[in-house]
Every structure is written in C-alpha cells, then in structure tokens.
Amino acid sequence: KGKESNRGHALLFSKEHVAAIEQNQQLEQLLSKADLDAELTVFFQPIVNIQSGRTVSFEALARWNSPVLGNVSPAVFIPVAERIGLISELTCTLLRKALATAITWPEEVGLSFNLSTHDISSSDDVATIVGIILSSGMDPRRLDLEITETAMMYDFAQAKAAIEIFKILGCGMALDDFGTGYSSLSQLHALPLTKIKIDRSFVSGLHKNPASYKIVKSLLALSSDMDLDCVIEGVETSEELEVLKKLGGILVQGYYYSAPVAGSEIGRFLPRPELGRKAG
Ligand code: C2E
Ligand code: MG
Ligand code: MG
Ligand code: MG
C-alpha cells in the first residue's frame, strides 16, 4: 500500500534509513559523553612468524564498552568518532594504553597500532602522536603504525608527509587492508612503507578459491619485490595456513592462532624467560 501511494515520488527515507539514523545519533551522543579513559580498552592479537612459530608482535585493537550499549565494535565507533571530531582524543587515549601495556613485553616483541584518516591528515595530530610515543619510553623501532589504503588516499600529500615523520622517528609503516582500497601501484611506490597487510577477504577460503589464491600469491610476490614485509590477515583454518606456507608467506594473523585478547592474557604468547638450569 505504501509503495502504491508513493508511486512516482522519491521515497527519501525508508524505515530502515530512519532506524539507522536514530542509531547513529544515539551512538554520537553516547560517544561524545563517554568517559573514554574508563570505557575504552585495548585488546591484542598475535602476529606469528609461521616459519619460526614465534609471536613477533601484537596488533592493538580498540574495544568500547559502553554502559548503555555494551560492547561496540571499532568498525562502528571509529567512523562515528571521526564524524563528531573525537578521533584525536580517542587515538591518544588508545595509543597511551597500548604503549603502557607493550612496554612490559620482552624487547623483541613489537606493537602494531591503527591510525585513522584524521590522525594523519593533521600535522598537529601527528605531532601529538609523536609526543605520546616519545614519552612512553617504548623504542619507536618496536612500533608499527597501520594506515588503511583508504585513509592514505584521502589526502595523499599529507599522508606521505606523516609517514615520513613517523619513519624518521624509527616506526615501521604498514598499509592495512591492502587490496580493498583504490591506491595505484605508483602511489604505493611513492610512499615510504615498510609493510603491507593483505586483507582477510582474500585469505578466507583461498585453498578452494582459485581467484583468492592468485591474488594472495601476486601480493606476496609484489611485497617481496618491493622489499616490504607482508602480514596475511584473517587466517582461520589449517587448510589456509598450509597453502600460505607453500606460497612462502611468513607473517600471519588470525583466529587460527588467536582472536584478540585482553592485555592480561597475552603471557601465553610471549617467549618464556630462560629457566634457570637445574643440575643433572
Ligand atoms: P583491522 O586493522 O584490519 O584489524 C583486523 C580486524 O580483523 C580486527 O577486527 C580483528 O579482530 C579481525 N580479525 C582478526 N583475525 C580474524 C579472523 O581470523 N577472522 C575474522 N573474521 N576476523 C579477524 P576488529 O577488532 O573488530 O577491528 C575492526 C577494524 O577497526 C580494524 O580493522 C581497524 O581498521 C579498526 N580499528 C580497530 N582498533 C582501532 C584503533 O585503535 N584505532 C583505529 N583508528 N582503528 C581501529
Ligand atoms: Mg589493522
Ligand atoms: Mg586489516
Ligand atoms: Mg580490516
């Protein structure tokens, strides 16, 4: 009936649209009033070298525990924070927390931290982030900063300038979700990156999907030709892992090894301290 009476007129908002808008407004209100220090936590997911079997670093992944909404995914609240101008504060809070945890790890274990579009498109924000890294006491060479292709392309000149600053500091720079954005290979070549992360959409089921297999194979070859490290994201099964081993993949992240866990739980992934030798 509704359809009939609207014939010939533009239907501006469906019920679903209205619900989505209301939900967004609620998210914006709750996030803008949130006690970020209390409600935001950082989880960590191991990145494993599949040749040595060792955990070489952890990616910090934000979690928002809202007293009203419960756990909200970063895929939802990071874009909201960007929209309402809260992302700088959020990034700073998360980075401080992630570094405070990582500083307690053995020196050979690194930390990978996600930056958002806004973080790298403002030189003030870049300076603030540099300040947080320096005052954390963490060696910047243990830190990788991850930026998505999409964020990189938003303002290419600014992104490049930001990456150059972080590189001078000693940080590694990773291109996240590689293959899902719109960067050209020439732009990629112009950025002083150290690492690419192959998006999990190419990894899922690659043992039975020839197209995914070929894409991952090509991206591994590309990263090797460009002297970039390569992390393969979203590995969930032993079938996927076996194929990746045969393709020469080295760094892997995914549920196969572990979902992201709280900072207090990562001891089991860390190299054991040398046990004092017992006689005999
Ligand atoms: P991302 O940086 O690509 O992080 C990887 C995402 O894939 C994480 O989702 C992780 O939990 C998930 N994942 C890892 N392994 C598997 C797997 O085997 N299977 C499946 N299905 N998923 C897997 P999460 O934690 O929900 O984060 C989503 C996105 O939110 C991140 O994608 C990142 O872009 C953004 N994000 C997370 N934390 C932060 C942060 O502190 N700052 C910023 N700016 N963005 C963040
Ligand atoms: Mg990431
Ligand atoms: Mg990713
Ligand atoms: Mg992703």
Side-chain angles (χ1 to χ4, degrees), residues 209-246:
N209 182 334
S212 301
Y213 176 89
K214 284 177 199 164
I215 289 171
V216 171
K217 190 178 171 190
S218 306
L219 293 180
L220 281 168
L222 178 73
S223 63
S224 151
D225 287 348
M226 292 180 75
D227 277 325
L228 298 170
D229 288 333
C230 184
V231 176
I232 305 159
E233 294 191 285
V235 179
E236 294 185 353
T237 68
S238 55
E239 287 90 344
E240 291 162 358
L241 186 68
E242 284 317 307
V243 172
L244 293 171
K245 277 185 180 162
K246 286 197 187 110

PDB file of all heavy atoms in Angstrom, residues 209-246:
ATOM      1  N   ASN A 209      39.517 -21.465  -3.490  1.00  0.00           N
ATOM      2  CA  ASN A 209      39.089 -20.376  -4.366  1.00  0.00           C
ATOM      3  C   ASN A 209      40.275 -19.903  -5.207  1.00  0.00           C
ATOM      4  O   ASN A 209      41.150 -19.184  -4.725  1.00  0.00           O
ATOM      5  CB  ASN A 209      38.532 -19.235  -3.506  1.00  0.00           C
ATOM      6  CG  ASN A 209      38.023 -18.077  -4.345  1.00  0.00           C
ATOM      7  OD1 ASN A 209      38.471 -17.858  -5.476  1.00  0.00           O
ATOM      8  ND2 ASN A 209      37.102 -17.331  -3.798  1.00  0.00           N
ATOM      9  N   PRO A 210      40.333 -20.322  -6.479  1.00  0.00           N
ATOM     10  CA  PRO A 210      41.495 -20.010  -7.327  1.00  0.00           C
ATOM     11  C   PRO A 210      41.755 -18.505  -7.468  1.00  0.00           C
ATOM     12  O   PRO A 210      42.907 -18.086  -7.538  1.00  0.00           O
ATOM     13  CB  PRO A 210      41.116 -20.612  -8.688  1.00  0.00           C
ATOM     14  CG  PRO A 210      40.065 -21.614  -8.399  1.00  0.00           C
ATOM     15  CD  PRO A 210      39.335 -21.142  -7.169  1.00  0.00           C
ATOM     16  N   ALA A 211      40.697 -17.706  -7.476  1.00  0.00           N
ATOM     17  CA  ALA A 211      40.894 -16.262  -7.630  1.00  0.00           C
ATOM     18  C   ALA A 211      41.614 -15.697  -6.409  1.00  0.00           C
ATOM     19  O   ALA A 211      42.607 -14.960  -6.540  1.00  0.00           O
ATOM     20  CB  ALA A 211      39.546 -15.564  -7.840  1.00  0.00           C
ATOM     21  N   SER A 212      41.143 -16.073  -5.211  1.00  0.00           N
ATOM     22  CA  SER A 212      41.790 -15.599  -3.978  1.00  0.00           C
ATOM     23  C   SER A 212      43.245 -16.070  -3.935  1.00  0.00           C
ATOM     24  O   SER A 212      44.155 -15.313  -3.582  1.00  0.00           O
ATOM     25  CB  SER A 212      41.080 -16.141  -2.738  1.00  0.00           C
ATOM     26  OG  SER A 212      39.741 -15.747  -2.734  1.00  0.00           O
ATOM     27  N   TYR A 213      43.431 -17.325  -4.295  1.00  0.00           N
ATOM     28  CA  TYR A 213      44.779 -17.912  -4.291  1.00  0.00           C
ATOM     29  C   TYR A 213      45.737 -17.085  -5.147  1.00  0.00           C
ATOM     30  O   TYR A 213      46.835 -16.730  -4.739  1.00  0.00           O
ATOM     31  CB  TYR A 213      44.684 -19.351  -4.806  1.00  0.00           C
ATOM     32  CG  TYR A 213      46.012 -20.052  -4.939  1.00  0.00           C
ATOM     33  CD1 TYR A 213      46.550 -20.759  -3.877  1.00  0.00           C
ATOM     34  CD2 TYR A 213      46.711 -20.004  -6.146  1.00  0.00           C
ATOM     35  CE1 TYR A 213      47.780 -21.408  -4.000  1.00  0.00           C
ATOM     36  CE2 TYR A 213      47.937 -20.646  -6.277  1.00  0.00           C
ATOM     37  CZ  TYR A 213      48.458 -21.340  -5.202  1.00  0.00           C
ATOM     38  OH  TYR A 213      49.665 -21.964  -5.318  1.00  0.00           O
ATOM     39  N   LYS A 214      45.276 -16.748  -6.357  1.00  0.00           N
ATOM     40  CA  LYS A 214      46.134 -15.992  -7.280  1.00  0.00           C
ATOM     41  C   LYS A 214      46.408 -14.588  -6.766  1.00  0.00           C
ATOM     42  O   LYS A 214      47.510 -14.057  -6.921  1.00  0.00           O
ATOM     43  CB  LYS A 214      45.480 -15.917  -8.664  1.00  0.00           C
ATOM     44  CG  LYS A 214      45.598 -17.223  -9.431  1.00  0.00           C
ATOM     45  CD  LYS A 214      44.882 -17.129 -10.762  1.00  0.00           C
ATOM     46  CE  LYS A 214      44.588 -18.525 -11.312  1.00  0.00           C
ATOM     47  NZ  LYS A 214      43.583 -18.501 -12.379  1.00  0.00           N
ATOM     48  N   ILE A 215      45.408 -13.984  -6.144  1.00  0.00           N
ATOM     49  CA  ILE A 215      45.609 -12.629  -5.620  1.00  0.00           C
ATOM     50  C   ILE A 215      46.638 -12.643  -4.489  1.00  0.00           C
ATOM     51  O   ILE A 215      47.582 -11.850  -4.478  1.00  0.00           O
ATOM     52  CB  ILE A 215      44.265 -12.019  -5.132  1.00  0.00           C
ATOM     53  CG1 ILE A 215      43.377 -11.706  -6.348  1.00  0.00           C
ATOM     54  CG2 ILE A 215      44.493 -10.748  -4.315  1.00  0.00           C
ATOM     55  CD1 ILE A 215      41.957 -11.300  -6.010  1.00  0.00           C
ATOM     56  N   VAL A 216      46.478 -13.595  -3.557  1.00  0.00           N
ATOM     57  CA  VAL A 216      47.425 -13.654  -2.434  1.00  0.00           C
ATOM     58  C   VAL A 216      48.834 -13.951  -2.950  1.00  0.00           C
ATOM     59  O   VAL A 216      49.812 -13.333  -2.516  1.00  0.00           O
ATOM     60  CB  VAL A 216      46.978 -14.697  -1.385  1.00  0.00           C
ATOM     61  CG1 VAL A 216      48.058 -14.920  -0.343  1.00  0.00           C
ATOM     62  CG2 VAL A 216      45.682 -14.248  -0.719  1.00  0.00           C
ATOM     63  N   LYS A 217      48.934 -14.872  -3.903  1.00  0.00           N
ATOM     64  CA  LYS A 217      50.232 -15.211  -4.486  1.00  0.00           C
ATOM     65  C   LYS A 217      50.887 -13.968  -5.116  1.00  0.00           C
ATOM     66  O   LYS A 217      52.073 -13.695  -4.910  1.00  0.00           O
ATOM     67  CB  LYS A 217      50.033 -16.298  -5.548  1.00  0.00           C
ATOM     68  CG  LYS A 217      51.305 -16.898  -6.057  1.00  0.00           C
ATOM     69  CD  LYS A 217      51.005 -17.997  -7.064  1.00  0.00           C
ATOM     70  CE  LYS A 217      52.311 -18.432  -7.724  1.00  0.00           C
ATOM     71  NZ  LYS A 217      52.084 -19.308  -8.860  1.00  0.00           N
ATOM     72  N   SER A 218      50.098 -13.207  -5.854  1.00  0.00           N
ATOM     73  CA  SER A 218      50.623 -11.998  -6.510  1.00  0.00           C
ATOM     74  C   SER A 218      51.023 -10.945  -5.493  1.00  0.00           C
ATOM     75  O   SER A 218      52.049 -10.279  -5.650  1.00  0.00           O
ATOM     76  CB  SER A 218      49.580 -11.382  -7.443  1.00  0.00           C
ATOM     77  OG  SER A 218      49.119 -12.326  -8.350  1.00  0.00           O
ATOM     78  N   LEU A 219      50.202 -10.777  -4.442  1.00  0.00           N
ATOM     79  CA  LEU A 219      50.524  -9.758  -3.440  1.00  0.00           C
ATOM     80  C   LEU A 219      51.788 -10.128  -2.668  1.00  0.00           C
ATOM     81  O   LEU A 219      52.587  -9.256  -2.316  1.00  0.00           O
ATOM     82  CB  LEU A 219      49.340  -9.543  -2.483  1.00  0.00           C
ATOM     83  CG  LEU A 219      48.086  -8.914  -3.121  1.00  0.00           C
ATOM     84  CD1 LEU A 219      46.978  -8.751  -2.084  1.00  0.00           C
ATOM     85  CD2 LEU A 219      48.406  -7.568  -3.767  1.00  0.00           C
ATOM     86  N   LEU A 220      51.976 -11.430  -2.418  1.00  0.00           N
ATOM     87  CA  LEU A 220      53.213 -11.866  -1.755  1.00  0.00           C
ATOM     88  C   LEU A 220      54.422 -11.571  -2.649  1.00  0.00           C
ATOM     89  O   LEU A 220      55.455 -11.094  -2.177  1.00  0.00           O
ATOM     90  CB  LEU A 220      53.148 -13.363  -1.429  1.00  0.00           C
ATOM     91  CG  LEU A 220      52.339 -13.734  -0.185  1.00  0.00           C
ATOM     92  CD1 LEU A 220      52.102 -15.241  -0.122  1.00  0.00           C
ATOM     93  CD2 LEU A 220      53.050 -13.255   1.081  1.00  0.00           C
ATOM     94  N   ALA A 221      54.280 -11.831  -3.943  1.00  0.00           N
ATOM     95  CA  ALA A 221      55.376 -11.554  -4.880  1.00  0.00           C
ATOM     96  C   ALA A 221      55.656 -10.056  -4.947  1.00  0.00           C
ATOM     97  O   ALA A 221      56.808  -9.611  -4.920  1.00  0.00           O
ATOM     98  CB  ALA A 221      55.030 -12.096  -6.268  1.00  0.00           C
ATOM     99  N   LEU A 222      54.583  -9.272  -4.987  1.00  0.00           N
ATOM    100  CA  LEU A 222      54.728  -7.814  -5.051  1.00  0.00           C
ATOM    101  C   LEU A 222      55.455  -7.294  -3.809  1.00  0.00           C
ATOM    102  O   LEU A 222      56.402  -6.498  -3.924  1.00  0.00           O
ATOM    103  CB  LEU A 222      53.338  -7.168  -5.152  1.00  0.00           C
ATOM    104  CG  LEU A 222      53.294  -5.654  -5.173  1.00  0.00           C
ATOM    105  CD1 LEU A 222      53.794  -5.114  -6.515  1.00  0.00           C
ATOM    106  CD2 LEU A 222      51.876  -5.141  -4.911  1.00  0.00           C
ATOM    107  N   SER A 223      55.042  -7.749  -2.639  1.00  0.00           N
ATOM    108  CA  SER A 223      55.670  -7.248  -1.416  1.00  0.00           C
ATOM    109  C   SER A 223      57.139  -7.646  -1.372  1.00  0.00           C
ATOM    110  O   SER A 223      57.991  -6.852  -0.962  1.00  0.00           O
ATOM    111  CB  SER A 223      54.926  -7.733  -0.163  1.00  0.00           C
ATOM    112  OG  SER A 223      54.971  -9.126  -0.069  1.00  0.00           O
ATOM    113  N   SER A 224      57.424  -8.839  -1.825  1.00  0.00           N
ATOM    114  CA  SER A 224      58.814  -9.279  -1.822  1.00  0.00           C
ATOM    115  C   SER A 224      59.649  -8.458  -2.812  1.00  0.00           C
ATOM    116  O   SER A 224      60.754  -8.023  -2.491  1.00  0.00           O
ATOM    117  CB  SER A 224      58.848 -10.774  -2.127  1.00  0.00           C
ATOM    118  OG  SER A 224      60.022 -11.135  -2.765  1.00  0.00           O
ATOM    119  N   ASP A 225      59.107  -8.196  -4.010  1.00  0.00           N
ATOM    120  CA  ASP A 225      59.824  -7.379  -4.993  1.00  0.00           C
ATOM    121  C   ASP A 225      60.057  -5.959  -4.489  1.00  0.00           C
ATOM    122  O   ASP A 225      61.043  -5.320  -4.830  1.00  0.00           O
ATOM    123  CB  ASP A 225      59.043  -7.317  -6.309  1.00  0.00           C
ATOM    124  CG  ASP A 225      59.100  -8.632  -7.069  1.00  0.00           C
ATOM    125  OD1 ASP A 225      59.936  -9.495  -6.687  1.00  0.00           O
ATOM    126  OD2 ASP A 225      58.310  -8.810  -8.015  1.00  0.00           O
ATOM    127  N   MET A 226      59.112  -5.457  -3.697  1.00  0.00           N
ATOM    128  CA  MET A 226      59.247  -4.096  -3.192  1.00  0.00           C
ATOM    129  C   MET A 226      59.965  -4.035  -1.851  1.00  0.00           C
ATOM    130  O   MET A 226      60.037  -2.986  -1.220  1.00  0.00           O
ATOM    131  CB  MET A 226      57.857  -3.449  -3.071  1.00  0.00           C
ATOM    132  CG  MET A 226      57.212  -3.211  -4.439  1.00  0.00           C
ATOM    133  SD  MET A 226      55.584  -2.466  -4.308  1.00  0.00           S
ATOM    134  CE  MET A 226      56.022  -0.778  -3.887  1.00  0.00           C
ATOM    135  N   ASP A 227      60.502  -5.190  -1.414  1.00  0.00           N
ATOM    136  CA  ASP A 227      61.206  -5.257  -0.136  1.00  0.00           C
ATOM    137  C   ASP A 227      60.342  -4.840   1.042  1.00  0.00           C
ATOM    138  O   ASP A 227      60.801  -4.166   1.963  1.00  0.00           O
ATOM    139  CB  ASP A 227      62.476  -4.394  -0.157  1.00  0.00           C
ATOM    140  CG  ASP A 227      63.618  -5.144  -0.797  1.00  0.00           C
ATOM    141  OD1 ASP A 227      63.684  -6.372  -0.607  1.00  0.00           O
ATOM    142  OD2 ASP A 227      64.422  -4.495  -1.503  1.00  0.00           O
ATOM    143  N   LEU A 228      59.084  -5.217   0.990  1.00  0.00           N
ATOM    144  CA  LEU A 228      58.173  -4.919   2.092  1.00  0.00           C
ATOM    145  C   LEU A 228      57.861  -6.201   2.843  1.00  0.00           C
ATOM    146  O   LEU A 228      57.721  -7.265   2.236  1.00  0.00           O
ATOM    147  CB  LEU A 228      56.862  -4.327   1.549  1.00  0.00           C
ATOM    148  CG  LEU A 228      56.961  -3.007   0.799  1.00  0.00           C
ATOM    149  CD1 LEU A 228      55.641  -2.683   0.117  1.00  0.00           C
ATOM    150  CD2 LEU A 228      57.370  -1.892   1.749  1.00  0.00           C
ATOM    151  N   ASP A 229      57.760  -6.092   4.169  1.00  0.00           N
ATOM    152  CA  ASP A 229      57.236  -7.217   4.933  1.00  0.00           C
ATOM    153  C   ASP A 229      55.763  -7.370   4.601  1.00  0.00           C
ATOM    154  O   ASP A 229      55.125  -6.422   4.150  1.00  0.00           O
ATOM    155  CB  ASP A 229      57.389  -6.964   6.439  1.00  0.00           C
ATOM    156  CG  ASP A 229      58.832  -7.070   6.887  1.00  0.00           C
ATOM    157  OD1 ASP A 229      59.603  -7.802   6.231  1.00  0.00           O
ATOM    158  OD2 ASP A 229      59.190  -6.405   7.873  1.00  0.00           O
ATOM    159  N   CYS A 230      55.236  -8.557   4.831  1.00  0.00           N
ATOM    160  CA  CYS A 230      53.846  -8.790   4.475  1.00  0.00           C
ATOM    161  C   CYS A 230      53.164  -9.605   5.568  1.00  0.00           C
ATOM    162  O   CYS A 230      53.610 -10.694   5.909  1.00  0.00           O
ATOM    163  CB  CYS A 230      53.809  -9.538   3.138  1.00  0.00           C
ATOM    164  SG  CYS A 230      52.145  -9.796   2.540  1.00  0.00           S
ATOM    165  N   VAL A 231      52.097  -9.063   6.121  1.00  0.00           N
ATOM    166  CA  VAL A 231      51.289  -9.792   7.109  1.00  0.00           C
ATOM    167  C   VAL A 231      50.018 -10.262   6.414  1.00  0.00           C
ATOM    168  O   VAL A 231      49.348  -9.474   5.744  1.00  0.00           O
ATOM    169  CB  VAL A 231      50.919  -8.899   8.314  1.00  0.00           C
ATOM    170  CG1 VAL A 231      50.005  -9.656   9.282  1.00  0.00           C
ATOM    171  CG2 VAL A 231      52.165  -8.411   9.033  1.00  0.00           C
ATOM    172  N   ILE A 232      49.712 -11.531   6.561  1.00  0.00           N
ATOM    173  CA  ILE A 232      48.483 -12.064   5.968  1.00  0.00           C
ATOM    174  C   ILE A 232      47.424 -12.136   7.065  1.00  0.00           C
ATOM    175  O   ILE A 232      47.593 -12.839   8.057  1.00  0.00           O
ATOM    176  CB  ILE A 232      48.752 -13.444   5.338  1.00  0.00           C
ATOM    177  CG1 ILE A 232      49.914 -13.327   4.341  1.00  0.00           C
ATOM    178  CG2 ILE A 232      47.503 -13.964   4.648  1.00  0.00           C
ATOM    179  CD1 ILE A 232      50.597 -14.632   4.040  1.00  0.00           C
ATOM    180  N   GLU A 233      46.348 -11.372   6.879  1.00  0.00           N
ATOM    181  CA  GLU A 233      45.323 -11.227   7.911  1.00  0.00           C
ATOM    182  C   GLU A 233      44.222 -12.269   7.776  1.00  0.00           C
ATOM    183  O   GLU A 233      43.931 -12.735   6.679  1.00  0.00           O
ATOM    184  CB  GLU A 233      44.633  -9.859   7.791  1.00  0.00           C
ATOM    185  CG  GLU A 233      45.504  -8.670   8.082  1.00  0.00           C
ATOM    186  CD  GLU A 233      44.647  -7.407   8.196  1.00  0.00           C
ATOM    187  OE1 GLU A 233      44.190  -6.874   7.175  1.00  0.00           O
ATOM    188  OE2 GLU A 233      44.449  -6.957   9.324  1.00  0.00           O
ATOM    189  N   GLY A 234      43.589 -12.579   8.887  1.00  0.00           N
ATOM    190  CA  GLY A 234      42.345 -13.345   8.863  1.00  0.00           C
ATOM    191  C   GLY A 234      42.497 -14.821   8.563  1.00  0.00           C
ATOM    192  O   GLY A 234      41.580 -15.444   8.030  1.00  0.00           O
ATOM    193  N   VAL A 235      43.650 -15.400   8.927  1.00  0.00           N
ATOM    194  CA  VAL A 235      43.822 -16.843   8.725  1.00  0.00           C
ATOM    195  C   VAL A 235      43.047 -17.586   9.814  1.00  0.00           C
ATOM    196  O   VAL A 235      43.270 -17.366  11.004  1.00  0.00           O
ATOM    197  CB  VAL A 235      45.319 -17.217   8.774  1.00  0.00           C
ATOM    198  CG1 VAL A 235      45.493 -18.717   8.596  1.00  0.00           C
ATOM    199  CG2 VAL A 235      46.076 -16.444   7.707  1.00  0.00           C
ATOM    200  N   GLU A 236      42.119 -18.429   9.394  1.00  0.00           N
ATOM    201  CA  GLU A 236      41.243 -19.099  10.366  1.00  0.00           C
ATOM    202  C   GLU A 236      41.446 -20.605  10.419  1.00  0.00           C
ATOM    203  O   GLU A 236      41.133 -21.226  11.425  1.00  0.00           O
ATOM    204  CB  GLU A 236      39.769 -18.791  10.044  1.00  0.00           C
ATOM    205  CG  GLU A 236      39.420 -17.324  10.239  1.00  0.00           C
ATOM    206  CD  GLU A 236      37.938 -17.026  10.044  1.00  0.00           C
ATOM    207  OE1 GLU A 236      37.188 -17.935   9.625  1.00  0.00           O
ATOM    208  OE2 GLU A 236      37.545 -15.874  10.310  1.00  0.00           O
ATOM    209  N   THR A 237      41.898 -21.210   9.322  1.00  0.00           N
ATOM    210  CA  THR A 237      41.943 -22.684   9.294  1.00  0.00           C
ATOM    211  C   THR A 237      43.339 -23.203   8.933  1.00  0.00           C
ATOM    212  O   THR A 237      44.156 -22.489   8.342  1.00  0.00           O
ATOM    213  CB  THR A 237      40.964 -23.239   8.227  1.00  0.00           C
ATOM    214  OG1 THR A 237      41.451 -22.877   6.920  1.00  0.00           O
ATOM    215  CG2 THR A 237      39.562 -22.687   8.412  1.00  0.00           C
ATOM    216  N   SER A 238      43.571 -24.477   9.275  1.00  0.00           N
ATOM    217  CA  SER A 238      44.859 -25.087   8.957  1.00  0.00           C
ATOM    218  C   SER A 238      45.017 -25.255   7.440  1.00  0.00           C
ATOM    219  O   SER A 238      46.131 -25.204   6.927  1.00  0.00           O
ATOM    220  CB  SER A 238      45.000 -26.434   9.662  1.00  0.00           C
ATOM    221  OG  SER A 238      43.902 -27.257   9.330  1.00  0.00           O
ATOM    222  N   GLU A 239      43.893 -25.416   6.713  1.00  0.00           N
ATOM    223  CA  GLU A 239      43.970 -25.519   5.250  1.00  0.00           C
ATOM    224  C   GLU A 239      44.539 -24.218   4.669  1.00  0.00           C
ATOM    225  O   GLU A 239      45.418 -24.241   3.811  1.00  0.00           O
ATOM    226  CB  GLU A 239      42.587 -25.774   4.633  1.00  0.00           C
ATOM    227  CG  GLU A 239      42.042 -27.162   4.846  1.00  0.00           C
ATOM    228  CD  GLU A 239      41.222 -27.267   6.128  1.00  0.00           C
ATOM    229  OE1 GLU A 239      41.314 -26.371   6.997  1.00  0.00           O
ATOM    230  OE2 GLU A 239      40.480 -28.258   6.255  1.00  0.00           O
ATOM    231  N   GLU A 240      44.020 -23.096   5.150  1.00  0.00           N
ATOM    232  CA  GLU A 240      44.526 -21.802   4.669  1.00  0.00           C
ATOM    233  C   GLU A 240      46.006 -21.653   5.017  1.00  0.00           C
ATOM    234  O   GLU A 240      46.821 -21.238   4.190  1.00  0.00           O
ATOM    235  CB  GLU A 240      43.718 -20.649   5.294  1.00  0.00           C
ATOM    236  CG  GLU A 240      42.283 -20.557   4.790  1.00  0.00           C
ATOM    237  CD  GLU A 240      41.368 -19.737   5.688  1.00  0.00           C
ATOM    238  OE1 GLU A 240      41.803 -19.243   6.752  1.00  0.00           O
ATOM    239  OE2 GLU A 240      40.174 -19.619   5.326  1.00  0.00           O
ATOM    240  N   LEU A 241      46.338 -22.022   6.262  1.00  0.00           N
ATOM    241  CA  LEU A 241      47.721 -21.869   6.718  1.00  0.00           C
ATOM    242  C   LEU A 241      48.678 -22.687   5.859  1.00  0.00           C
ATOM    243  O   LEU A 241      49.752 -22.218   5.476  1.00  0.00           O
ATOM    244  CB  LEU A 241      47.830 -22.284   8.186  1.00  0.00           C
ATOM    245  CG  LEU A 241      49.198 -22.027   8.817  1.00  0.00           C
ATOM    246  CD1 LEU A 241      49.450 -20.530   8.956  1.00  0.00           C
ATOM    247  CD2 LEU A 241      49.305 -22.716  10.167  1.00  0.00           C
ATOM    248  N   GLU A 242      48.300 -23.935   5.533  1.00  0.00           N
ATOM    249  CA  GLU A 242      49.175 -24.792   4.730  1.00  0.00           C
ATOM    250  C   GLU A 242      49.451 -24.186   3.363  1.00  0.00           C
ATOM    251  O   GLU A 242      50.583 -24.191   2.877  1.00  0.00           O
ATOM    252  CB  GLU A 242      48.549 -26.202   4.570  1.00  0.00           C
ATOM    253  CG  GLU A 242      48.679 -27.068   5.812  1.00  0.00           C
ATOM    254  CD  GLU A 242      50.070 -26.980   6.450  1.00  0.00           C
ATOM    255  OE1 GLU A 242      51.065 -27.195   5.740  1.00  0.00           O
ATOM    256  OE2 GLU A 242      50.158 -26.671   7.666  1.00  0.00           O
ATOM    257  N   VAL A 243      48.407 -23.643   2.733  1.00  0.00           N
ATOM    258  CA  VAL A 243      48.585 -23.014   1.423  1.00  0.00           C
ATOM    259  C   VAL A 243      49.516 -21.806   1.550  1.00  0.00           C
ATOM    260  O   VAL A 243      50.425 -21.614   0.726  1.00  0.00           O
ATOM    261  CB  VAL A 243      47.214 -22.591   0.837  1.00  0.00           C
ATOM    262  CG1 VAL A 243      47.404 -21.777  -0.427  1.00  0.00           C
ATOM    263  CG2 VAL A 243      46.362 -23.816   0.548  1.00  0.00           C
ATOM    264  N   LEU A 244      49.321 -21.020   2.603  1.00  0.00           N
ATOM    265  CA  LEU A 244      50.155 -19.829   2.789  1.00  0.00           C
ATOM    266  C   LEU A 244      51.623 -20.203   3.012  1.00  0.00           C
ATOM    267  O   LEU A 244      52.527 -19.523   2.528  1.00  0.00           O
ATOM    268  CB  LEU A 244      49.625 -18.991   3.960  1.00  0.00           C
ATOM    269  CG  LEU A 244      48.255 -18.362   3.705  1.00  0.00           C
ATOM    270  CD1 LEU A 244      47.690 -17.747   4.970  1.00  0.00           C
ATOM    271  CD2 LEU A 244      48.342 -17.318   2.585  1.00  0.00           C
ATOM    272  N   LYS A 245      51.846 -21.300   3.724  1.00  0.00           N
ATOM    273  CA  LYS A 245      53.221 -21.759   3.928  1.00  0.00           C
ATOM    274  C   LYS A 245      53.858 -22.106   2.598  1.00  0.00           C
ATOM    275  O   LYS A 245      54.993 -21.731   2.311  1.00  0.00           O
ATOM    276  CB  LYS A 245      53.244 -22.994   4.839  1.00  0.00           C
ATOM    277  CG  LYS A 245      53.195 -22.650   6.321  1.00  0.00           C
ATOM    278  CD  LYS A 245      53.346 -23.909   7.167  1.00  0.00           C
ATOM    279  CE  LYS A 245      53.302 -23.560   8.650  1.00  0.00           C
ATOM    280  NZ  LYS A 245      53.011 -24.720   9.496  1.00  0.00           N
ATOM    281  N   LYS A 246      53.102 -22.835   1.750  1.00  0.00           N
ATOM    282  CA  LYS A 246      53.625 -23.231   0.437  1.00  0.00           C
ATOM    283  C   LYS A 246      53.909 -22.019  -0.441  1.00  0.00           C
ATOM    284  O   LYS A 246      54.822 -22.028  -1.258  1.00  0.00           O
ATOM    285  CB  LYS A 246      52.647 -24.165  -0.272  1.00  0.00           C
ATOM    286  CG  LYS A 246      52.640 -25.550   0.329  1.00  0.00           C
ATOM    287  CD  LYS A 246      52.015 -26.582  -0.600  1.00  0.00           C
ATOM    288  CE  LYS A 246      51.872 -27.916   0.109  1.00  0.00           C
ATOM    289  NZ  LYS A 246      50.464 -28.254   0.402  1.00  0.00           N
TER     290      LYS A 246
END
